[in-house]
Amino acid sequence: MTSTPSPLVDPFARAISYLRVSVTDRCDFRCTYCMSEQMTFLPKADLLSLEELDRLCSTFVRLGVQKLRITGGEPLVRKDILTFFRAMSRHLDTGTLKELTLTTNGSQLTRYADELAALGVRRINVSLDTLDPDKFAQITRWGRLNQVLEGIEAAKSVGLKVKINAVALKGFNEDELFPLLDWCAEEGHDLTFIEVMPMGEDMSPLRLDQYWPLKDLRTRLAGRFTLTDLTERTGGPARYVRIEETGQKVGFITPLTHNFCESCNRVRLTCTGALYMCLGQEDMADLRAPLRASPDDADLEQAIRAAIARKPKGHDFDYSRQKVTGQMTRHMSHTGG
Ligand code: SAM
Ligand code: SF4
C-alpha cells in the first residue's frame, strides 16, 4: 500500500487545497478588458494534452487539492474537454476531490450543461457584465447575449447552481447595478462583482479609465438596501454581504483595494503547465518539463513541492497613486483569472 503523501503547505503555513486550471488560452469572445482583438494564441505543441492535464491535476489531488476550477480562455471551447471532466470526476467518486467546477462565458452551455451535471459538477461561474445585447456585443466584441442567456437557462434546468460574475466597469455597467441584481434574484443566481485588474500588455490607461471601485458600488447598494457582512470566506479575494430585504447574497472581489493574501489557499496552472503561485507575481514554476521528462510522478511531485515552497506572501497591485503599479503583463486568459 502507498502511504498518504504529506499535504501542500506553503512557507506562511497556508494549506494549498484549491487549484485553478486553465485548459486553453483560446476563446470565442474577445472581452475588451481581457484580450486584444488580434490575439496570437499558443502553438498546439506547447499545450498540455488532456492526458497530461489529467496526470498533473491528479497529482495535485493526491497532494491534498480538494477543489478544482477549470477555466481558460474559454474552457468549453477546448476540443474534447468533457474527456478531461470525465477523468476528474473519478476523484469526486472516490471522495478525494470535493468540488469540480468551472468558470465560463456561457456560450457553450446549451451543449454541455447536461453532461457537466452528470459528471458531478454542481456549481458554475458564468461571466456576464451586462444584460443589454448591444453593450454585451460591445464589451465581448464577438459574443451574443442571447446565446449566453440560453446557456445559463440550460445550466439552471439541469440543476447547476449558477453564480454570475460581473466585472464592474465605470461608465459601462454602473447603470445596471440594480437591474442585474433584480435579474439574479428572479433567476435564483448568486452575483459577484469583480474589480477590473491591470492585466495584459500596455492596457493600463484603459484599465484606470474603467476602474469602478467596489467600495463605491457597495455604497450605492447600501443607499437602497440594508447590507449585512457575512463572515464566509473562500480563501480567495471574495467577500460577501447579504441584502436583508431580498435575502440575496452578493460578492465583491476586490484584489486591488483589499488584502486577502493572508488566507490564500490557491495556485494557478496554465495550459502549458506553468504553475503561478500568486496571481499578482511573475514567479512561476514549469511543471511541463518534469511531467514530460519521466513517467514517474515522483519528479513531478517534487517540482510541485518546490514551487509551493516559493509561494509569496502577497501581491503588489496598487491603483492608489492614480497610476497602475505592480501591473502584470500576462493576460488573464493565460492564468485563468
Ligand atoms: N472565459 C471564461 C469566462 O469569461 O468566464 C473564463 C476565463 S476569464 C479570464 C475568467 C474571469 O476573469 C472572467 O470572469 C472575466 O470577467 C475575468 N477577467 C478577465 N480579465 C479581467 C480583468 N482585466 N480584470 C478583472 N477581471 C477580469
Ligand atoms: Fe474570453 Fe473569458 Fe477573456 Fe472574455 S473574459 S475574452 S470570455 S477568456
Side-chain angles (χ1 to χ4, degrees):
M1 232 180 78
T2 52
S3 58
T4 313
S6 56
L8 298 171
V9 178
D10 80 357
F12 305 96
R14 298 170 297 193
I16 306 306
S17 57
Y18 181 6
L19 177 66
R20 299 170 70 104
V21 188
S22 172
V23 292
T24 177
D25 61 331
R26 288 165 197 257
C27 187
D28 51 344
F29 292 1
R30 290 289 181 280
C31 302
T32 55
Y33 47 73
C34 179
M35 292 192 184
S36 51
E37 191 150 20
Q38 307 302 331
M39 289 290 286
T40 311
F41 291 110
L42 295 162
K44 286 236 165 63
D46 284 0
L47 292 194
L48 298 181
S49 67
L50 294 178
E51 293 75 17
E52 287 173 326
L53 276 168
D54 177 359
R55 204 179 132 206
L56 202 39
C57 292
S58 297
T59 304
F60 273 99
V61 170
R62 197 167 58 246
L63 296 178
V65 160
Q66 301 195 336
K67 177 171 173 179
L68 268 185
R69 178 176 297 280
I70 313 307
T71 174
E74 174 47 41
L76 298 182
V77 301
R78 170 109 194 217
K79 193 160 173 271
D80 291 332
I81 191 62
L82 283 187
T83 306
F84 176 65
F85 275 94
R86 204 165 294 120
M88 291 304 101
S89 76
R90 75 182 187 276
H91 301 305
L92 288 175
D93 295 341
T94 61
T96 37
L97 184 65
K98 302 284 180 263
E99 186 172 6
L100 175 60
T101 184
L102 74 154
T103 299
T104 172
N105 65 22
S107 70
Q108 309 300 314
L109 281 173
T110 41
R111 201 162 140 210
Y112 290 132
D114 207 2
E115 284 171 277
L116 288 170
L119 291 171
V121 174
R122 294 288 165 259
R123 305 188 295 176
I124 61 173
N125 289 357
V126 183
S127 305
L128 177 65
D129 306 328
T130 172
L131 290 169
D132 178 305
D134 293 334
K135 279 161 76 180
F136 187 84
Q138 188 194 328
I139 200 79
T140 63
R141 293 201 188 98
W142 294 4
R144 282 186 298 114
L145 178 66
N146 237 348
Q147 187 180 345
V148 170
L149 293 181
E150 283 167 14
I152 294 172
E153 195 52 45
K156 187 178 158 182
S157 71
V158 296
L160 291 173
K161 179 80 185 142
V162 175
K163 178 158 79 73
I164 301 295
N165 279 344
V167 178
L169 296 162
K170 189 154 95 188
F172 179 77
N173 57 8
E174 277 175 278
D175 57 340
E176 287 194 81
L177 172 60
F178 294 109
L180 262 172
L181 204 67
D182 291 346
W183 177 74
C184 286
E186 277 162 33
E187 296 291 324
H189 307 318
D190 286 334
L191 175 60
T192 289
F193 291 99
I194 310 177
E195 225 161 53
V196 75
M197 283 187 266
M199 310 290 286
E201 70 264 2
D202 209 22
M203 304 278 272
S204 51
L206 178 67
R207 288 298 127 66
L208 254 187
D209 217 42
Q210 292 180 322
Y211 181 47
W212 179 19
L214 292 191
K215 194 162 44 68
D216 296 355
L217 189 155
R218 192 194 151 114
T219 305
R220 248 188 251 185
L221 268 185
R224 188 176 296 191
F225 297 115
T226 317
L227 308 182
T228 306
D229 284 306
L230 301 176
T231 51
E232 184 178 328
R233 293 284 184 270
T234 57
R239 295 290 177 266
Y240 298 94
V241 297
R242 188 176 49 240
I243 299 183
E244 293 304 338
E245 287 81 355
T246 64
Q248 254 176 306
K249 193 173 87 171
V250 178
F252 302 95
I253 300 184
T254 55
L256 303 166
T257 54
H258 217 281
N259 199 345
F260 56 91
C261 302
E262 70 283 351
S263 60
C264 183
N265 60 356
R266 62 201 58 195
V267 287
R268 296 174 160 82
L269 184 69
T270 70
C271 53
T272 57
L275 187 74
Y276 283 90
M277 284 69 83
C278 173
L279 181 64
Q281 301 279 359
E282 298 281 3
D283 188 29
M284 59 88 162
D286 172 26
L287 298 182
R288 188 178 59 186
L291 181 81
R292 290 187 174 167
S294 154
D296 182 355
D297 288 342
D299 293 353
L300 180 60
E301 192 177 312
Q302 205 187 2
I304 293 174
R305 287 193 189 282
I308 300 299
R310 298 209 310 262
K311 185 167 160 67
K313 196 169 180 191
H315 66 68
D316 301 323
F317 289 141
D318 185 6
Y319 278 165
S320 60
R321 285 179 294 279
Q322 285 304 298
K323 73 180 174 63
V324 180
T325 58
Q327 182 179 359
M328 302 300 304
T329 49
R330 61 180 194 265
H331 284 267
M332 200 73 154
S333 53
H334 186 55
T335 35

